[in-house]
Amino acid sequence: TEKRLQSGIEETRDFERLLSDALMACDSEACPIFNDGDPVGAYLSAMEKIDLVNEARPNLQDAGLFGVVSTLYDEATWPVLWEGVAELDANDDPEILATSSDFQASDSDIREIEWINCLDDWSIYPAFTREDQLSASQMFDDVFDTEFPLLAAASVLEDSISLCPFFDTIVPAPLDVPLDGADVPILVIGNPSDPATPFSESEELVEETLTNGFLLEADNPAHVVFGRGNRCVDDTVVAVLVDIEFPAERRTVCPR
């Protein structure tokens, strides 16, 4: 339980850091939430009205939080965050952040990715019990407000209970083969600036899990790295996919 809890805390800490970076990048009066040099203050003021975003998107649980977080996947969308916060704070208008939250929504009233991740967890960690899940969730809630004040300000569901602990009744049978790649060479692209796929997990995958893994480290201010203008990344990936030529070293660093 403790290891799983720490993993969740570290991933959330990356989002908190990136949200802070996005807000502090609003560093001139041209930015709509500059607020005399206190964009964080403007953000916290707007978050007092975050319920308006949730009301605008009732089919997405905690839409306000997702509206904020969805602007962090690319530095190019940070201005969307600024505009959304400004409109919410000054005009009680939630539409920009509500539209941003649509990135995380689906046509149904559930987020399929949560169900998939949940069932994957049950399959990969069969020894993890319902009580472990509930305990980890409670422990995370206990530190959420103090560890991640910016994210907590946008969330209204930090004390809610996920359905995942109760999915043990429908979980598929655990995989009975090692998830080590069977010695097939595999290139893993790790992006230290992407909170959605923590770089530490890329390192762990190559160093501790795969039997024949290669790590390509590429710091990029967006969720996606390949095909975004980094010639080193593109050449390395194309060489692997087209020519089956892997890097000479197990770890390659492509400059930003």
Side-chain angles (χ1 to χ4, degrees):
T1 301
E2 185 67 25
K3 182 178 180 181
R4 295 289 304 284
L5 174 66
Q6 288 304 317
S7 177
I9 287 176
E10 288 306 312
E11 183 170 348
T12 307
R13 181 171 287 116
D14 286 340
F15 274 107
E16 178 81 6
R17 172 187 55 79
L18 198 58
L19 176 53
S20 176
D21 290 346
L23 292 173
M24 295 309 297
C26 179
D27 57 3
S28 75
E29 292 185 0
C31 177
I33 58 168
F34 179 63
N35 193 34
D36 294 327
D38 183 22
V40 172
Y43 168 82
L44 293 175
S45 175
M47 292 305 102
E48 295 178 5
K49 306 175 183 180
I50 198 64
D51 278 338
L52 295 176
V53 182
N54 295 307
E55 292 169 6
R57 292 295 187 274
N59 68 318
L60 178 61
Q61 196 175 48
D62 222 7
L65 176 63
F66 286 121
V68 169
V69 168
S70 296
T71 66
L72 304 178
Y73 285 78
D74 192 327
E75 282 186 15
T77 58
W78 289 1
V80 176
L81 172 66
W82 305 336
E83 291 287 348
V85 169
E87 285 297 309
L88 183 61
D89 191 33
N91 302 318
D92 294 348
D93 184 353
E95 191 55 33
I96 293 177
L97 291 181
T99 299
S100 174
S101 76
D102 292 342
F103 175 73
Q104 305 281 352
S106 68
D107 293 335
S108 67
D109 288 338
I110 63 170
R111 294 181 70 239
E112 287 84 354
I113 188 172
E114 291 180 349
W115 288 50
I116 294 168
N117 287 342
C118 173
L119 292 176
D120 281 351
D121 271 358
W122 277 115
S123 295
I124 295 172
Y125 306 104
F128 207 58
T129 66
R130 178 184 295 183
E131 289 71 24
D132 290 332
Q133 293 249 19
L134 290 170
S135 175
S137 178
Q138 182 59 57
M139 292 167 68
F140 184 84
D141 285 344
D142 290 343
V143 302
F144 188 65
D145 283 340
T146 55
E147 291 280 332
F148 316 115
L150 297 179
L151 293 172
S155 176
V156 296
L157 294 179
E158 56 212 65
D159 295 323
S160 67
I161 296 178
S162 164
L163 290 176
C164 192
F166 306 96
F167 277 20
D168 53 352
T169 58
I170 60 172
V171 66
L175 297 174
D176 58 0
V177 295
L179 301 176
D180 59 7
D183 207 38
V184 174
I186 295 175
L187 180 70
V188 175
I189 303 175
N191 179 5
S193 289
D194 179 12
T197 49
F199 182 67
S200 60
E201 293 184 5
S202 300
E203 292 180 305
E204 180 181 340
L205 181 61
V206 170
E207 297 171 2
E208 301 180 21
T209 303
L210 298 177
T211 53
N212 196 4
F214 294 78
L215 178 62
L216 178 62
E217 178 182 345
D219 192 358
N220 190 56
H223 184 55
V224 177
V225 175
F226 177 65
R228 291 300 182 94
N230 188 318
R231 184 67 179 270
C232 171
V233 172
D234 293 351
D235 287 349
T236 302
V237 172
V238 169
V240 168
L241 294 178
V242 176
D243 302 318
I244 321 299
E245 292 182 359
F246 283 78
E249 303 294 333
R250 289 287 171 172
R251 183 168 185 151
T252 301
V253 179
C254 284
R256 182 166 177 169

